[in-house]
Amino acid sequence: MPTYRGSWRLTVVGKEAAWPQRVVISGSVSGIVPGEPGRTVVIAGDEWHLVVEHDDGGGWKRSAQVIQRPLNRTGDQASQVIVSKDRFWAHDSTPDDLVVSLETVGGPLSVGKLFAADADRLTPRGSGSLRSGDGEQLLGVEITNTGFESFGYDAVLDISPRGRSELAGCGVLVQDKWRPALLRATGQEVFEGAVSVPPLEVGESTTVYFPVDCAQASSAAPEVEFELRHRSGVRSLRSYGTASITVEGRAKDHRDGGAASPTEQPRGLAHPAASPALRQEPGRAAGHSTA
């Protein structure tokens, strides 16, 4: 019985049978997919099973043969074709009575809530916002394995260069040098700035902490990108996810350096908020992964 974990898109791609066919899903999620070419459904669960059935006029029965073709991997995505034979005949043994394809949906890294954490209890501080003037703080991030296979002991999480740049833009500096007391408090291991992630089964979550300096932070809500480095089969992969956090800091003075304040616009110039902006298209969307 084929078994899958995580989120997959199932599509019925072929049917060469006179009898009605269907796919029955059971386990952490359940349902029935009619065996009609073109039918598609997303199935998401920690662990679920797939059975192909046919109705020969006497009710639904399991098909005689179900074959999983080899799993194809592209980065941290995967796809597979399943073929089946409802009943073997003297002159027809080709397993093509119902053919379905499956492909993973989304990446293995889901980034949840970001929050400022208390270094002693590892709990959110106040509203969970990073605050200027508090100096060194811990940035906590909740992550979930939303892939189709477990994270092994080799998985590590880091704030990507893009995420570090977003934080630095509002005066929040990621500290790569950990104080021994902070390492003991978090119980984490650090490898070249990246934090080791405990083994996670599909659907499991954990919280990872990073030290940041907010002494010169200014108010903002940066989108912070995280990078998960892990292995899938024999391949080393990088997966990405983003989330935002509120930074409470000193307000920026727009008149510093001679710039006009919002209420003191030079005549003949439109207010910046009313003008269109040109922005470079991001080269990597949230959740994207590379080998």
Side-chain angles (χ1 to χ4, degrees):
M1 180 189 304
T3 297
Y4 295 89
R5 297 188 293 172
S7 299
W8 295 71
R9 179 178 290 105
L10 183 150
T11 303
V12 179
V13 296
K15 177 179 179 290
E16 295 293 337
W19 291 333
Q21 309 281 316
R22 71 180 187 180
V23 177
V24 179
I25 304 299
S26 63
S28 59
V29 62
S30 60
I32 294 175
V33 183
E36 303 165 355
R39 284 274 188 166
T40 184
V41 63
V42 173
I43 306 167
D46 292 344
E47 183 173 286
W48 47 274
H49 317 287
L50 182 155
V51 170
V52 178
E53 295 183 344
H54 66 281
D55 184 358
D56 59 5
W60 291 101
K61 303 176 179 65
R62 284 196 182 189
S63 293
Q65 185 181 52
V66 175
I67 301 174
Q68 292 174 277
R69 298 301 190 197
L71 187 71
N72 297 312
R73 297 173 183 264
T74 303
D76 58 18
Q77 302 297 299
S79 62
Q80 189 169 50
V81 172
I82 291 180
V83 297
S84 65
K85 190 67 182 170
D86 53 21
R87 179 176 174 182
F88 290 103
W89 304 90
H91 302 291
D92 181 11
S93 59
T94 303
D96 60 359
D97 289 341
L98 190 69
V99 181
V100 301
S101 69
L102 294 109
E103 56 184 2
T104 52
V105 177
L109 175 64
S110 175
V111 176
K113 182 175 67 175
L114 305 187
F115 59 93
D118 182 278
D120 295 323
R121 296 185 296 274
L122 302 182
T123 54
R125 300 177 58 179
S127 63
S129 302
L130 293 172
R131 297 178 57 186
S132 172
D134 288 350
E136 186 179 59
Q137 300 172 54
L138 285 177
L139 171 61
V141 52
E142 297 176 355
I143 64 169
T144 302
N145 178 357
T146 52
F148 65 95
E149 57 190 354
S150 305
F151 291 166
Y153 286 95
D154 60 313
V156 294
L157 186 74
D158 200 355
I159 301 176
S160 74
R162 177 180 295 177
R164 290 167 181 259
S165 177
E166 284 287 318
L167 288 169
C170 58
V172 177
L173 305 179
V174 179
Q175 305 297 292
D176 287 321
K177 187 173 182 179
W178 285 69
R179 291 190 295 106
L182 276 182
L183 276 179
R184 288 194 298 271
T186 60
Q188 298 179 155
E189 294 183 310
V190 178
F191 302 94
E192 298 180 352
V195 178
S196 179
V197 175
L200 292 179
E201 295 296 331
V202 174
E204 289 186 340
S205 303
T206 191
T207 301
V208 180
Y209 301 91
F210 296 89
V212 293
D213 186 344
C214 303
Q216 301 299 317
S218 56
S219 296
E223 288 283 334
V224 186
E225 182 183 68
F226 293 85
E227 176 185 273
L228 177 74
R229 299 195 286 272
H230 58 116
R231 298 188 68 83
S232 178
V234 297
R235 305 183 66 186
S236 296
L237 302 174
R238 296 171 186 257
S239 303
Y240 298 86
T242 63
S244 63
I245 186 168
T246 300
V247 179
E248 299 177 5
R250 55 187 179 83
K252 292 183 178 179
D253 188 346
H254 294 279
R255 288 170 290 186
D256 288 349
S261 72
T263 58
E264 297 177 348
Q265 289 295 315
R267 293 185 179 182
L269 294 181
H271 192 287
S275 303
L278 293 178
R279 292 187 175 87
Q280 180 178 329
E281 287 293 327
R284 178 173 59 239
H288 178 74
S289 302
T290 59

